[in-house]
Amino acid sequence: MTRINVKVDGVDHTDEVEPRMLLVHYLREQVGRTGTVVGCDTSNCGACTVHLDGRSVKSCNVLAVQADGHEVTTIEGIADGDRLHAMQQAFHDCHALQCGYCTPGMIMQSIDLLNDNPNPSEDEIRHGLEGNLCRCTGYHNIVKAVQQAAGAGVGGGGGR
Amino acid sequence: MRPFVYERATDVADALDRAGDGAVFLAGGTNLVDHLRLGVRSAERLVDITRIGLDEVEELPGGGLRVGALVRNSDLAAHPALRRGFPVVAQALLAGASGQLRNMATTGGNLLQRTRCVYFQDVTMPCTKRDPGSGCSALEGYAAGNAIFETSPRCMAVHPSDLCVALVALDAVVRTTGPAGDREIPMTELYRRAEDGPETDTHLVPGELITHVDLPPLAPGTRSAYRKVRERASYAFALVSVAAALDVVDGRVRDARLGFGGVCHRPFRARRAEEALVGGPADAAAFAAAIDAELAHARPGRDNAAKVPILRNTALAVLAGLADEGARS
């Protein structure tokens, strides 16, 4: 077992983990952050996307020990109390989901995308979400939601 | 996943001390963690090298760049000096993987990623690269992704990297340190041909650590670009890809660099085409003759013959684009 210190959604956690434990399993099973889901478990679908020190990663592709000393933000850590993050609100407003399973990862990657490029074109949004698969193929409204969030200033831009 | 011991190196010397005895260096882990999970490989110990430095991009006198082995793919792709001087490298990086993986994946790790041949990744199938001596399932199986250059019945896999195709074209140099001291290895000599024994991808020795990748400067006015063709518009490995740099003066080619991806066991440098290009006119007929000189050495099989015309069309489009770009400036 290896002792790790990870700040998850603003709260410090110290835990003993097996080195082979994936970050997504640590978040769900040890920290209880089940908002982050396991989709494909093969680092393809992006449903498990979280932020590691503010940048998106696939948490099924990272070992919990790699996050030691770092900060993890999950879908459960971006709202301000009852007030949704602007990206969550945009997904809600645009009905950017069908079954909802890919949504946590889509939202976390969309925030990363706008942090990199605050005013993306539609094509840039689609490419920026290339590592997130929606099995319902509901991409159209997801793109609209990211456009709305960009317009609302997520990532520091003013929209196009 | 089989259990392993996790260690963290504090600096380069400590990393080298911890090598050996079944240890594997862990950087971003985007490929290694998948392989540990799939059972494609196992490790007694993982030595995490992400906290030993080597994470900066240094501008060298004369216009070259020295890239630390632990610079993340996303940071390198966004680096202003790289985007200015080596657009082919930035484009190649952004053509690979997805945003999440580029945030984790490192420069050195990208060089050492393994093939995505379906048989290499399927532990129930024979694969000599994974299980030496077990043969090549891709010879008579699903073969559409197989190599067409330097082919060998020992292994038909292709190298998966986009970045490496750009690096071989630009004569990048890999700097390493290890049990036998420091080495500088040209990218074009880092990788083994399939016929040399596909069990090992590179000429690195056990315990040797990549510290930097040096990009030598290109002549002022040189244009460069990377284009990748895949079975869907994004998020897939290359069917074929082309990295090119072209220096055209008064309508004639002064220097040409060409790398091909998705077609060979190693990132492929198209030297025959380069030789045919240099000194000739920068026009469509000369480009076609040069690419055909290279493609004459392609050995496609039953299921991957389409790679030849796709590669031809892609290379010609990239060269024409670079020549146009130069003419307009």
Side-chain angles (χ1 to χ4, degrees):
Chain A
M1 301 291 270
T2 301
R3 178 181 294 258
I4 60 171
N5 294 290
V6 186
K7 183 178 270 193
V8 180
D9 295 334
V11 178
D12 287 311
H13 291 265
T14 300
D15 285 295
E16 299 279 336
V17 299
E18 264 202 86
R20 62 178 169 170
M21 179 178 249
L22 297 172
L23 179 59
V24 68
H25 294 140
Y26 172 71
L27 292 172
R28 288 177 57 83
E29 290 161 24
Q30 210 140 339
V31 182
R33 292 298 200 188
T34 51
T36 300
V37 296
V38 180
C40 65
D41 203 22
T42 53
S43 69
N44 279 302
C45 79
C48 65
T49 300
V50 299
H51 292 179
L52 186 62
D53 292 340
R55 301 175 73 175
S56 64
V57 300
K58 294 187 176 182
S59 61
C60 80
N61 187 235
V62 177
L63 300 168
V65 288
Q66 288 178 278
D68 179 28
H70 293 291
E71 192 165 340
V72 175
T73 307
T74 77
I75 187 70
E76 296 187 53
I78 58 173
D80 180 10
D82 288 337
R83 208 169 120 249
L84 294 179
H85 185 280
M87 188 65 75
Q88 290 174 305
Q89 188 64 50
F91 270 63
H92 179 84
D93 294 347
C94 299
H95 196 70
L97 73 160
Q98 290 181 32
C99 84
Y101 203 82
C102 71
T103 310
M106 284 286 183
I107 289 176
M108 298 309 285
Q109 180 57 20
S110 296
I111 294 171
D112 186 82
L113 194 172
L114 293 189
N115 286 342
D116 262 1
N117 180 1
N119 295 304
S121 65
E122 180 184 337
D123 189 54
E124 287 168 337
I125 293 171
R126 290 184 184 275
H127 274 98
L129 295 175
E130 68 184 326
N132 291 72
L133 306 180
C134 170
R135 222 176 85 162
C136 312
T137 70
Y139 295 103
H140 194 63
N141 284 356
I142 292 171
V143 173
K144 281 203 268 184
V146 179
Q147 287 170 325
Q148 175 179 315
V154 174
R160 275 192 179 166
Chain B
M1 203 186 305
R2 291 192 182 163
F4 50 80
V5 173
Y6 172 83
E7 298 175 5
R8 190 173 293 150
T10 53
D11 55 29
V12 171
D14 185 43
L16 296 187
D17 283 346
R18 293 174 186 275
D21 295 331
V24 176
F25 291 134
L26 171 69
T30 52
N31 198 208
L32 178 59
V33 171
D34 274 353
H35 284 167
L36 292 169
R37 204 170 36 187
L38 292 167
V40 169
R41 74 178 298 174
S42 59
E44 300 285 318
R45 286 186 297 133
L46 292 192
V47 176
D48 188 336
I49 55 168
T50 54
R51 303 179 202 204
I52 64 172
L54 304 178
D55 55 356
E56 289 181 3
V57 179
E58 186 188 343
E59 297 188 42
L60 300 175
L65 286 183
R66 175 161 297 164
V67 182
L70 293 163
V71 174
R72 307 281 177 175
N73 286 179
S74 48
D75 290 335
L76 183 58
H79 196 280
L82 184 92
R83 297 179 76 91
R84 199 169 50 239
F86 306 93
V88 60
V89 179
Q91 290 166 17
L93 282 162
L94 294 176
S98 59
Q100 293 98 318
L101 295 192
R102 291 192 296 269
N103 283 341
M104 278 303 282
T106 63
T107 308
N110 190 304
L111 268 55
L112 299 183
Q113 65 178 303
R114 311 299 307 276
T115 184
R116 293 329 194 270
C117 175
V118 292
Y119 299 108
F120 177 73
Q121 298 192 108
D122 180 350
V123 296
T124 66
M125 297 295 289
C127 166
T128 210
K129 187 180 277 299
R130 173 171 34 76
D131 182 13
S134 63
C136 178
S137 298
L139 271 177
E140 298 298 331
Y142 171 78
N146 284 1
I148 58 172
F149 285 109
E150 299 174 356
T151 59
S152 162
R154 300 180 72 176
C155 174
M156 296 302 289
V158 299
H159 196 270
S161 170
D162 294 297
L163 171 64
C164 294
V165 182
L167 296 181
V168 294
L170 298 186
D171 282 320
V173 175
V174 179
R175 300 166 68 88
T176 73
T177 185
D182 298 348
R183 288 208 288 170
E184 294 183 10
I185 310 168
M187 269 297 285
T188 50
E189 293 168 29
L190 179 67
Y191 296 96
R192 292 157 68 99
R193 297 166 190 244
E195 69 187 20
D196 299 334
E199 301 80 12
T200 311
D201 294 343
T202 72
H203 292 289
L204 297 179
V205 300
E208 190 169 13
L209 181 70
I210 297 174
T211 58
H212 301 87
V213 176
D214 284 359
L215 283 169
L218 289 164
T222 302
R223 310 283 160 167
S224 72
Y226 185 76
R227 191 173 298 180
K228 178 178 182 179
V229 179
R230 31 194 163 180
E231 288 177 336
R232 56 190 179 208
S234 75
Y235 199 42
F237 287 87
L239 208 50
V240 307
S241 70
V242 173
L246 203 58
D247 181 19
V248 177
V249 179
D250 297 332
R252 299 198 84 80
V253 176
R254 186 164 63 179
D255 189 20
R257 315 288 189 82
L258 269 178
F260 295 160
V263 292
C264 181
H265 187 258
R266 55 180 185 161
F268 186 79
R269 178 78 178 265
R271 292 196 188 276
R272 294 181 193 91
E274 291 177 359
E275 281 168 22
L277 286 167
V278 172
D283 62 31
F287 293 162
I291 298 302
D292 288 340
E294 193 71 62
L295 290 174
H297 295 265
R299 295 288 175 267
R302 182 191 64 196
D303 294 343
N304 63 350
K307 283 192 176 186
V308 174
I310 296 172
L311 179 58
R312 183 178 194 272
N313 291 343
T314 308
L316 292 180
V318 170
L319 289 173
L322 293 176
D324 277 356
E325 199 184 311
R328 276 187 279 107
S329 63

